[in-house]
């Protein structure tokens, strides 16, 4: 079992992202150093002592559908109760409804720990948190008063219902219908697929957020509205009452996250209540999705951390061949050391990017300043894509460290790769994240991106006197990224899209190099890892930027028949 990275997170909060700036705002005065310590230490104990113990059982004994009810994996009931009763679902939720009201940065730290301990289970509170966020911002007061306290306490849980068989990333193609009823509610009918934790026996009620169309709705995304559809309709006392007209049709058989039930849901004139107003469904849902995208990025980081710790432990025990440094275990081999060091450098970089994004979210909500809002929007696709790519790549590398034993399921190394693989797909594929970065996030003529790149260049310049070699490399990479950003802005949109993925990766490497440079300045003990990031991983940035600015013509020049 892995150990929660609370120490590394605390270092990042104190020395890299300046968490104290959040604490100085009027909104987050309760986020004192003592409170941060209590949250990180408490979440670490929960992750290490309770949640990680069920990770393997969730893989070997998947959730199952019995007589219309989803039965959770062995031990999930006890672990979920510990999460709910500890108040961990509502770390950043409004205190008015029972939440802790703490910064999203701390909730992000907690979520990463829980994801590293057991991704399948952590998905359940993560989805509830997203629903809480959407209801806080968009729901009418009566729905907030009824549902938020139960969601925040973990007594009930939430889901997100977007995808349909014919409408995946193209949400505007959905066909689920919502017909007004005489009592102000709506009757929802349609089928949704890929609904994570769409049902379970862990809680007495499941609250579904469902995208659907009114009878007279406009086509496309403008005609989509959002509805809250509970499994059981609350009675006058707010307790689960009559069963709603919805059911789980089946569970998907997946590559990984076996303990997380992925449901096909059918709604047949189910009773629901509109969130926000007609045609405003996507705006409300994106409130949920944007924070979920950061959460998914940190899931990748959490899984990478767990996989890496397992690989390091194996490398310190496995004896194979004569090592150059005279040590008995394979960690003394240069290539094994390379894999582990590069993985550790990448995990740190991805963690900093995610927590920087969370800080921007907090500062935007605390200050109302547009600059923080745009910073959060810019970092969200990078945090999601690079975090999940890191989870997959590091888990894959750690199988390689295990050698043949990594390919054997009994060692548990393969589970991390199987579990992490979905994270690059859901909440918007990483290709969509990259296109969002060079599309919507460049709508300001690249001002937000260029501002951030400029800050990195200035920080590197300030470090020249102490770490000239590393600072020069970071400054040069930032300059190359700035030039490439200018080229991307001058391109037609499809040419941008052709290079979006390598551009996002290059941006993430520059952000990661900046993070490692700051870390080395704050703690000389982190200098060797900073050198790995800046001298071994950052050089890939130039090649990525060459690809990013190559345009789309060369791709379309390849005949379709040559691809088959």
């Amino acid at each position: 079992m892995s150990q929660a990275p609370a120490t590394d997170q605390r270092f990042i909060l104190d020395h890299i992202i300046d968490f104290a700036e959040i604490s100085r705002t009027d909104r987050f005065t309760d986020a004192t150093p003592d409170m941060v310590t209590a949250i990180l230490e408490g979440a670490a104990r929960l992750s290490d002592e309770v949640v990680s113990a069920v990770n393997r059982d969730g893989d070997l004994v998947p959730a199952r559908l019995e007589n219309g009810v989803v039965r959770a994996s062995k031990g999930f009931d006890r672990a979920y109760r510990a999460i709910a009763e500890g108040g961990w679902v509502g770390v950043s939720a409004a205190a008015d409804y029972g939440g802790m009201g703490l910064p999203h940065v701390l909730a992000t730290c907690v979520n990463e720990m829980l994801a590293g301990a057991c991704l399948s289970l952590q998905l359940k509170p993560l989805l509830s948190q997203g629903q809480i966020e959407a209801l806080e911002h968009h729901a009418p007061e009566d729905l907030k008063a009824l549902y938020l306290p139960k969601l925040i306490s973990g007594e009930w849980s939430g889901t997100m219902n977007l995808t349909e068989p014919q409408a995946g990333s193209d949400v505007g193609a959905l066909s689920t219908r919502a017909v007004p009823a005489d009592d102000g509610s709506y009757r929802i009918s349609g089928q949704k697929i890929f609904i994570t934790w769409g049902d379970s026996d862990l809680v007495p009620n499941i609250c579904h957020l469902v995208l659907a169309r009114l009878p007279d709705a406009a086509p496309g995304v403008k005609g989509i509205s959002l509805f809250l559809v509970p499994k059981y309709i609350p009675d006058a006392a707010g307790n689960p009452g009559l069963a709603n007209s919805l059911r789980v049709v089946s569970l998907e058989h997946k590559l990984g996250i076996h303990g997380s039930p992925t449901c096909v849901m059918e709604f047949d004139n189910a009773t629901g209540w509109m969130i926000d107003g007609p045609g405003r469904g996507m705006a409300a849902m994106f409130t949920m999705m944007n924070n979920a995208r950061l959460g998914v990025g940190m899931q990748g980081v959490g899984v990478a951390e767990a996989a890496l710790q397992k690989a390091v432990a194996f490398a310190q025990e496995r004896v194979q061949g004569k090592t150059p440094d005279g040590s008995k275990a394979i960690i003394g081999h240069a290539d094994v050391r390379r894999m582990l060091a590069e993985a550790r450098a990448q995990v740190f970089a991805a963690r900093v990017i995610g927590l920087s994004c969370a800080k921007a979210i907090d500062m935007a909500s605390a200050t109302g300043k547009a600059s923080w809002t745009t910073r959060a929007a810019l970092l969200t696709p990078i945090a999601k894509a690079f975090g999940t790519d890191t989870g997959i790549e590091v888990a894959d590398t750690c199988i390689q460290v295990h050698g043949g034993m990594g390919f054997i399921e009994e060692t548990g190394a393969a589970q991390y790769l199987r579990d992490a693989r979905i994270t690059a797909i859901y909440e918007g594929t990483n290709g969509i994240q990259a296109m969002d970065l060079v599309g919507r996030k460049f709508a300001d003529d690249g001002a937000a991106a260029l501002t951030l790149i400029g800050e990195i260049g200035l920080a590197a310049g300030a470090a020249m006197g102490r770490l000239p070699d590393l600072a020069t490399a970071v400054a040069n990479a930032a300059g190359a990224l700035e030039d490439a950003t200018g080229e991307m802005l001058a391109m037609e949109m499809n040419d941008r899209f052709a290079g979006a993925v390598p551009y996002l990766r290059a941006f993430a490497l520059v952000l990661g190099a900046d993070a490692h440079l700051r870390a080395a300045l704050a703690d000389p003990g982190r200098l060797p890892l900073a050198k790995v990031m800046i001298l071994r991983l950052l050089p890939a940035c130039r090649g990525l930027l060459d690809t990013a600015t190559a345009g789309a013509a060369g791709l379309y020049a390849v005949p379709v028949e040559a691809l088959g």
Side-chain angles (χ1 to χ4, degrees):
M1 291 185 286
S2 61
Q3 183 175 2
T7 300
D8 209 42
Q9 290 175 343
R10 186 59 185 263
F11 176 84
I12 292 169
L13 299 187
D14 291 344
H15 300 289
I16 308 298
I17 71 167
D18 188 16
F19 180 83
E21 186 176 12
I22 300 174
S23 301
R24 289 193 294 269
T25 66
D26 292 340
R27 178 168 181 172
F28 295 119
T29 54
D30 289 341
T32 62
D34 287 345
M35 176 62 77
V36 172
T37 298
I39 292 294
L40 295 183
E41 291 183 352
R45 284 193 300 272
L46 173 68
S47 299
D48 295 347
E49 298 173 9
V50 180
V51 179
S52 64
V54 305
N55 188 50
R56 194 67 176 144
D57 286 332
D59 189 51
L60 298 175
V61 186
R64 63 197 186 279
L65 181 61
E66 290 183 351
N67 300 319
V69 178
V70 174
R71 306 296 181 187
S73 298
K74 177 184 176 182
F76 274 32
D77 54 347
R78 180 175 63 89
Y80 179 75
R81 281 199 306 273
I83 294 171
E85 291 172 3
W88 299 106
V89 179
V91 171
S92 61
D96 292 346
Y97 298 100
M100 296 187 192
L102 292 173
H104 194 61
V105 167
L106 295 182
T108 301
C109 289
V110 173
N111 286 337
E112 187 210 331
M113 293 188 203
L114 294 176
C118 181
L119 178 56
S120 289
L121 181 58
Q122 187 264 348
L123 277 159
K124 189 172 183 66
L126 181 71
L127 283 162
S128 293
Q129 289 167 356
Q131 186 168 120
I132 290 164
E133 185 84 7
L135 295 180
E136 284 180 346
H137 284 84
H138 300 283
E141 291 302 323
D142 58 334
L143 292 183
K144 288 182 184 180
L146 175 58
Y147 285 91
L148 281 176
K150 295 182 181 298
L151 288 166
I152 289 170
S153 69
E155 179 183 350
W156 295 357
S157 63
T159 73
M160 179 166 55
N161 289 245
L162 289 79
T163 307
E164 298 178 9
Q166 80 293 341
S169 299
D170 183 12
V171 179
L174 67 83
S175 60
T176 297
R177 308 292 290 178
V179 179
D182 293 338
D183 62 358
S185 65
Y186 293 79
R187 299 296 175 262
I188 315 298
S189 298
Q191 189 177 92
K192 299 288 186 177
I193 62 172
F194 304 155
I195 309 307
T196 301
W197 282 99
D199 189 59
S200 82
D201 56 358
L202 300 183
V203 292
N205 207 2
I206 310 284
C207 308
H208 300 283
L209 281 183
V210 183
L211 288 179
R213 295 185 182 283
L214 297 173
D216 58 350
V221 296
K222 293 182 179 180
I224 296 174
S225 301
L226 182 65
F227 302 86
L228 180 58
V229 186
K231 179 180 179 179
Y232 294 101
I233 300 172
D235 60 21
N239 298 313
L242 295 175
N244 212 343
S245 185
L246 57 89
R247 69 186 183 98
V248 180
V249 176
S250 62
L251 298 185
E252 304 290 359
H253 300 282
K254 308 187 298 292
L255 176 68
I257 55 170
H258 294 151
S260 171
T262 302
C263 304
V264 176
M265 300 294 303
E266 184 174 79
F267 300 86
D268 183 12
N269 285 316
T271 300
W273 290 267
M274 184 179 289
I275 303 299
D276 212 338
R280 293 188 52 78
M282 288 305 294
M285 186 61 82
F286 265 108
T287 298
M288 181 175 185
M289 286 183 65
N290 280 333
N291 281 5
R293 285 172 173 171
L294 171 58
V296 170
M298 297 308 287
Q299 286 179 339
V301 179
V303 173
E305 177 68 43
L308 182 53
Q309 288 187 28
K310 186 176 185 66
V312 171
F314 179 86
Q316 290 176 313
E317 297 172 357
R318 175 66 167 165
V319 176
Q320 195 79 78
K322 185 177 180 181
T323 61
D325 65 355
S327 60
K328 294 181 179 180
I330 63 171
I331 201 166
H333 290 295
D335 188 57
V336 173
R337 190 65 69 90
R338 174 193 63 80
M339 288 189 283
L340 296 175
E342 290 181 356
R344 174 52 66 196
Q346 188 170 331
V347 169
F348 181 82
R351 181 174 290 130
V352 171
I353 292 171
L355 292 178
S356 298
C357 182
K359 178 190 176 178
I361 292 170
D362 285 328
M363 292 300 295
S365 67
T367 68
K369 291 183 178 179
S371 58
W372 283 114
T373 301
T374 55
R375 176 64 55 88
L378 176 72
L379 287 175
T380 294
I382 302 174
K384 194 278 182 180
F386 187 66
T388 57
D389 282 346
T390 293
I392 295 165
E393 292 166 12
V394 169
D396 183 55
T397 294
C398 290
I399 290 176
Q400 192 72 15
V401 172
H402 280 79
M405 296 303 295
F407 201 68
I408 304 299
E409 285 288 354
E410 284 77 4
T411 64
Q415 181 187 345
Y416 293 117
L417 179 57
R418 289 188 287 100
D419 285 354
R421 187 61 188 86
I422 185 59
T423 61
I425 298 172
Y426 60 27
E427 302 304 336
T429 67
N430 286 359
I432 289 174
Q433 303 303 317
M435 289 189 288
D436 176 55
L437 175 62
V438 302
R440 291 186 184 90
K441 301 310 187 288
F442 277 6
D444 60 354
D445 294 324
L450 292 170
T451 297
L452 178 54
I453 296 167
E455 291 173 10
I456 294 171
L458 288 174
M464 289 291 182
R466 294 179 58 187
L467 297 172
D469 292 346
L470 300 188
T472 298
V474 174
N476 289 342
L481 180 61
E482 182 178 21
D483 292 342
T485 301
E487 291 187 52
M488 295 285 278
L489 288 166
M491 289 180 174
E492 297 293 331
M493 193 60 72
N494 200 48
D495 287 324
R496 289 191 203 173
F497 288 168
V501 167
Y503 176 82
L504 185 150
R505 177 75 175 205
F507 209 137
L509 290 178
V510 172
L511 290 170
D514 172 66
H516 276 278
L517 179 59
R518 294 172 187 269
L521 292 169
D523 177 5
R526 291 177 177 260
L527 179 59
L529 198 63
K531 289 182 177 179
V532 171
M533 180 72 206
I534 295 170
L535 303 181
R536 299 183 69 93
L537 298 181
L538 183 61
C541 181
R542 287 195 174 276
L544 289 165
L545 293 175
D546 287 343
T547 305
T549 54
L555 299 177
Y556 290 98
V558 181
V560 172
E561 56 269 21
L563 301 174

